Amino acid sequence: MTTAKEKRYRLSLSWEHEKEEDWLNERSAEGLHFEKINFIKYTFERDPSVRYTYRLDYQGGLNNKEKKQEYIDLYKDAGWEYVCSYGAMWHYFRKEWREGENPQLYTDRESLIALYKRIQSLIAVLFLCNLGIMSFNLSRPGPIRIVILAIYAFIFFALGFGYVKLNKKVKEMTK
Amino acid sequence: MEKWKDMLPLTEAFYYILVSLYVEPSHGYGIMQEAERMSGGRVKIGAGTLYTALNTLLNKGVIDNYPVPEGMDSRRKMYAITDEGRAVVKAEIARLEELLESGKHALSIGEERGT
């Protein structure tokens, strides 16, 4: 049997992973089920007979195969099917959609706050890495420096924005 | 000073994980089911919450890896409570008892005075 694959493009931001989940879930409701991701290219499989709830997890420290398998097995025991990963840290799971159910990976406020804080430290690390790369690039002479500065100004703005957004989320939850 | 002293108060998820391991060593799925059963279906620990909690508890030394007994599914990693973990549970129960006692006492006085 051949299955129809379709592609969609979306720039997903680390501090908006819930919006990405919503987007995937809306597609699944239309019969397009997410299967893999390559930077901004999402591959879907068309199948009108099913519908899934997708969830995205951020989990580091899964570099060795055995640890990753343990992680996937635990989620599987809880009814989640592993879909794929993006980089080493982002992992996509799904389970069959059921009317009136809204399954979550994080079921209490404390662990959800801890998740946001983990994502926040990722952004902080990216920020510092880019700062390092930028100072390296700026050591080159010539007018190219203005272009480099402009690119980095944008990157820092985006990362800073994400950091502040997550901060707000955490604050609202601890109020 | 022990690493676990700053853990109190425990979240409901942490509490039920430790309490279920107090009875016997178990794997992640067993802990989830036990927490749901003990709480009469109220506390359902999600996979993400459980996975991160287990890592935190391992780091704090209140639980430990437990060798999977012969004949059991070796795919499922097992956990056991440590002496520190037992101390945490006891300290938490003492804290909860104090809260409960003060609360009940206050309620009975309030009702006597008819307010």
Side-chain angles (χ1 to χ4, degrees):
Chain A
M1 199 185 102
T2 54
T3 47
K5 306 279 180 197
E6 287 184 36
K7 303 202 185 326
R8 293 280 190 282
Y9 296 88
R10 181 180 196 270
L11 178 64
S12 296
L13 303 165
S14 301
W15 52 91
E16 289 187 340
H17 77 277
E18 281 133 337
K19 281 192 184 158
E20 188 180 350
E21 287 176 349
D22 293 344
W23 183 71
L24 294 175
N25 290 331
E26 282 160 22
R27 298 291 79 70
S28 192
E30 298 167 3
L32 277 180
H33 315 296
F34 170 63
E35 281 192 330
K36 51 178 207 238
I37 175 169
N38 191 350
F39 188 41
I40 55 166
K41 186 175 81 186
Y42 291 74
T43 307
F44 295 85
E45 185 185 23
R46 186 171 284 285
D47 179 359
S49 69
V50 281
R51 178 174 173 185
Y52 295 101
T53 298
Y54 282 87
R55 292 286 176 245
L56 182 46
D57 193 20
Y58 179 78
Q59 208 62 253
L62 300 173
N63 342 49
N64 79 58
K65 249 189 163 170
E66 201 188 323
K67 272 220 127 176
K68 176 123 183 224
Q69 196 55 50
E70 277 166 20
Y71 165 69
I72 291 172
D73 285 341
L74 183 73
Y75 281 55
K76 192 173 164 191
D77 277 342
W80 293 98
E81 178 192 348
Y82 171 70
V83 181
C84 65
S85 296
Y86 178 76
M89 308 284 213
W90 293 103
H91 313 283
Y92 295 84
F93 291 89
R94 70 181 180 189
K95 66 165 63 172
E96 255 186 66
W97 178 86
R98 280 205 191 87
E99 178 86 60
E101 278 181 20
N102 185 23
Q104 301 288 345
L105 296 177
Y106 292 86
T107 41
D108 60 32
R109 192 210 298 239
E110 294 87 355
S111 61
L112 197 57
I113 289 172
L115 171 74
Y116 290 150
K117 286 188 173 164
R118 286 205 303 277
I119 301 172
Q120 222 178 4
S121 21
L122 162 82
I123 294 174
V125 168
L126 286 177
F127 200 101
L128 290 176
C129 284
N130 277 302
L131 209 60
I133 301 168
M134 181 185 73
S135 22
F136 174 74
N137 281 329
L138 281 181
S139 61
R140 277 186 251 187
I144 187 84
R145 292 171 64 157
I146 294 169
V147 181
I148 293 172
L149 261 181
I151 293 170
Y152 279 102
F154 177 74
I155 292 175
F156 289 136
F157 175 77
L159 290 173
F161 178 77
Y163 193 89
V164 170
K165 268 220 135 166
L166 281 168
N167 236 9
K168 244 177 108 180
K169 250 191 206 176
V170 170
K171 264 208 183 129
E172 263 162 30
M173 290 183 76
T174 44
K175 233 190 263 180
Chain B
M1 173 126 170
E2 293 95 334
K3 261 168 143 183
W4 58 265
K5 284 268 165 74
D6 59 359
M7 288 184 70
L8 301 185
L10 297 173
T11 69
E12 287 187 343
F14 278 46
Y15 181 77
Y16 270 121
I17 293 169
L18 288 174
V19 165
S20 76
L21 291 179
Y22 210 113
V23 181
E24 59 180 353
S26 182
H27 45 68
Y29 184 54
I31 295 170
M32 273 183 214
Q33 287 180 311
E34 201 43 26
E36 195 170 341
R37 189 193 64 78
M38 284 191 284
S39 66
R42 189 179 63 82
V43 177
K44 295 190 177 92
I45 306 176
T49 299
L50 181 69
Y51 184 79
T52 42
L54 288 172
N55 283 333
T56 307
L57 295 171
L58 281 170
N59 280 336
K60 299 257 182 198
V62 292
I63 65 169
D64 209 348
N65 292 306
Y66 185 80
V68 179
E70 199 100 9
M72 278 185 76
D73 185 358
S74 62
R75 193 178 61 89
R76 286 180 173 151
K77 215 172 150 185
M78 291 189 71
Y79 306 91
I81 195 165
T82 63
D83 288 340
E84 287 80 12
R86 291 189 186 91
V88 172
V89 172
K90 282 179 186 152
E92 178 68 349
I93 289 175
R95 193 189 65 85
L96 291 170
E97 269 173 348
E98 175 228 285
L99 289 178
L100 208 57
E101 284 310 307
S102 327
K104 280 182 177 166
H105 186 64
L107 285 193
S108 68
I109 294 176
E111 260 146 44
E112 254 170 49
R113 290 183 186 167
T115 46

